[in-house]
Amino acid sequence: MRQLEEESEQIIGFFGPISYLLTSPAYDEMLKEVLGDSDADDKATTDAIERLLEILKQRKATYLQRRPLLVNLIASSDLERFLLHGLIGRHDLPEEIQTRRRVLAKQETLHILELLRAQPIGVQICIIPQAVPSTTFQIFRQSTRSVLAISPFRLGEQPNVRVGVGFITSSAEAISLHENIAKRLWEQSLKGNDAADYLIKLIEKYGVE
């Protein structure tokens, strides 16, 4: 994905709770902590997490330098779980840690709200209040081709970065199907002030006090 993003002119992402490329710097620190929630405490796991975090850091740096057009489709259900549970690796964490993670999740959701209100050039964000696909995907539009990435991995509530099979394809049929899904989700979604108002209600309802 890092390599594809380096050559993309537009990225369409259905990845919750928000595209990693749009997350705040605080999210990186929170994610590093969360990936350490695993019971595994071996060098191989630690090294793998460090490599992952470095790649993510490179992805965000490249995006901020190149600023390709970015369309982010966000599922309301992802935001609700994010606010309810915070960014956690497992549910048996001490209560004070879970509460702090919910506070951090609320702060990150307020960052999303700020993006919705500011509407930065080249960034389009929408919130989808109805049922959505369970698998995340991204479409990378480049000057000579489009590429589709489908992933079972998550960087949001209860992140999964270790189990599953993701794949990348240039199949015209697969890309067309997912472009149609993205178009349909975009048309049914909330945008701009409507999305911001809806998000405020979610924060009031599910966010920690």
Side-chain angles (χ1 to χ4, degrees), residues 9 20 29 38 42 47 61 83 106 143 147 187 195 204 209:
E9 297 175 351
Y20 171 74
E29 295 301 318
S38 169
D42 57 280
D47 289 346
L83 287 166
K106 182 177 180 179
S143 59
V147 181
E187 290 172 347
E204 292 175 346
E209 292 297 330

Side-chain angles (χ1 to χ4, degrees), residues 99-112:
T99 300
R100 188 171 66 83
R101 298 282 179 80
R102 289 189 66 196
V103 170
L104 292 172
K106 182 177 180 179
Q107 291 174 353
E108 191 65 25
T109 307
L110 289 170
H111 169 70
I112 299 173

Side-chain angles (χ1 to χ4, degrees), residues 21-83:
L21 301 177
L22 294 176
T23 56
S24 71
Y27 193 87
D28 295 298
E29 295 301 318
M30 180 168 45
L31 185 60
K32 181 177 181 180
E33 181 179 332
V34 171
L35 293 176
D37 285 348
S38 169
D39 290 329
D41 191 24
D42 57 280
K43 188 175 186 302
T45 298
T46 301
D47 289 346
I49 290 174
E50 289 298 325
R51 287 197 301 273
L52 170 64
L53 292 171
E54 181 58 31
I55 291 172
L56 290 174
K57 181 180 178 181
Q58 292 170 9
R59 283 181 58 197
K60 188 177 286 186
T62 299
Y63 166 73
L64 292 173
Q65 181 179 18
R66 296 187 64 250
R67 295 285 185 181
L69 300 176
L70 179 58
V71 179
N72 189 191
L73 311 167
I74 303 177
S76 172
S77 55
D78 284 342
L79 292 171
E80 291 170 12
R81 289 194 300 270
F82 189 49
L83 287 166

Side-chain angles (χ1 to χ4, degrees), residues 5-195:
E5 287 165 353
E6 288 174 349
E7 300 177 9
S8 295
E9 297 175 351
Q10 182 185 42
I11 302 168
I12 301 173
F14 174 64
F15 208 98
I18 186 174
S19 170
Y20 171 74
L21 301 177
L22 294 176
T23 56
S24 71
Y27 193 87
D28 295 298
E29 295 301 318
M30 180 168 45
L31 185 60
K32 181 177 181 180
E33 181 179 332
V34 171
L35 293 176
D37 285 348
S38 169
D39 290 329
D41 191 24
D42 57 280
K43 188 175 186 302
T45 298
T46 301
D47 289 346
I49 290 174
E50 289 298 325
R51 287 197 301 273
L52 170 64
L53 292 171
E54 181 58 31
I55 291 172
L56 290 174
K57 181 180 178 181
Q58 292 170 9
R59 283 181 58 197
K60 188 177 286 186
T62 299
Y63 166 73
L64 292 173
Q65 181 179 18
R66 296 187 64 250
R67 295 285 185 181
L69 300 176
L70 179 58
V71 179
N72 189 191
L73 311 167
I74 303 177
S76 172
S77 55
D78 284 342
L79 292 171
E80 291 170 12
R81 289 194 300 270
F82 189 49
L83 287 166
L84 276 169
H85 305 298
L87 199 61
I88 55 173
R90 62 180 198 266
H91 285 290
D92 61 346
L93 295 170
E95 185 176 348
E96 62 270 19
I97 293 180
Q98 295 191 48
T99 300
R100 188 171 66 83
R101 298 282 179 80
R102 289 189 66 196
V103 170
L104 292 172
K106 182 177 180 179
Q107 291 174 353
E108 191 65 25
T109 307
L110 289 170
H111 169 70
I112 299 173
L113 178 62
E114 184 179 339
L115 290 173
L116 282 169
R117 285 174 166 165
Q119 299 185 32
I121 293 175
V123 175
Q124 293 178 293
I125 302 174
C126 70
I127 298 177
I128 307 155
Q130 61 271 16
V132 295
S134 58
T135 303
T136 62
F137 65 87
Q138 291 199 107
I139 299 169
F140 303 91
R141 289 178 173 168
Q142 302 175 342
S143 59
T144 58
R145 62 171 183 164
S146 290
V147 181
L148 169 70
I150 296 179
S151 172
F153 306 112
R154 299 186 304 271
L155 293 177
E157 185 255 345
Q158 283 201 293
N160 167 33
V161 295
R162 305 175 69 185
V163 181
V165 178
F167 69 89
I168 294 170
T169 178
S170 295
S171 164
E173 182 179 7
I175 291 170
S176 177
L177 286 170
H178 284 79
E179 284 182 333
N180 288 336
I181 291 173
K183 181 175 183 291
R184 193 159 64 245
L185 292 174
W186 177 263
E187 290 172 347
Q188 298 170 353
S189 69
L190 300 171
K191 309 168 191 71
N193 290 331
D194 290 337

